[in-house]
Amino acid sequence: MDGVRAYPEAHFPDRKVCGARDRPELRPITCGGAYDRRTGYAGNVVVLAHLTGVRGPRPTRAPR
């Protein structure tokens, strides 16, 4: 995990959170901040993570 960030709804950084990356990354987004029954949550919480490796059998080469 690379970190957890909280963003106010009015200042959510769309490109920073949802923009293209040069590696496999994961960005779960959930509600966060203060809650109001009329307006809902004040912001969002984002977990920042990236792929560090894979496990499993090595791919086999097709016969020539």
Side-chain angles (χ1 to χ4, degrees):
M1 182 173 69
D2 298 328
V4 177
R5 304 275 192 278
Y7 298 105
E9 185 176 346
H11 301 293
F12 188 82
D14 295 331
R15 286 195 174 169
K16 181 177 182 179
V17 174
C18 302
R21 300 282 185 257
D22 60 355
R23 63 184 183 181
E25 295 190 2
L26 182 66
R27 300 274 192 255
I29 304 168
T30 190
C31 302
Y35 178 76
D36 181 285
R37 290 184 77 170
R38 291 179 298 132
T39 60
Y41 286 96
N44 295 100
V45 176
V46 181
V47 177
L48 311 166
H50 71 278
L51 183 66
T52 60
V54 295
R55 293 184 188 171
R58 293 182 180 205
T60 57
R61 288 186 163 180
R64 293 183 183 201

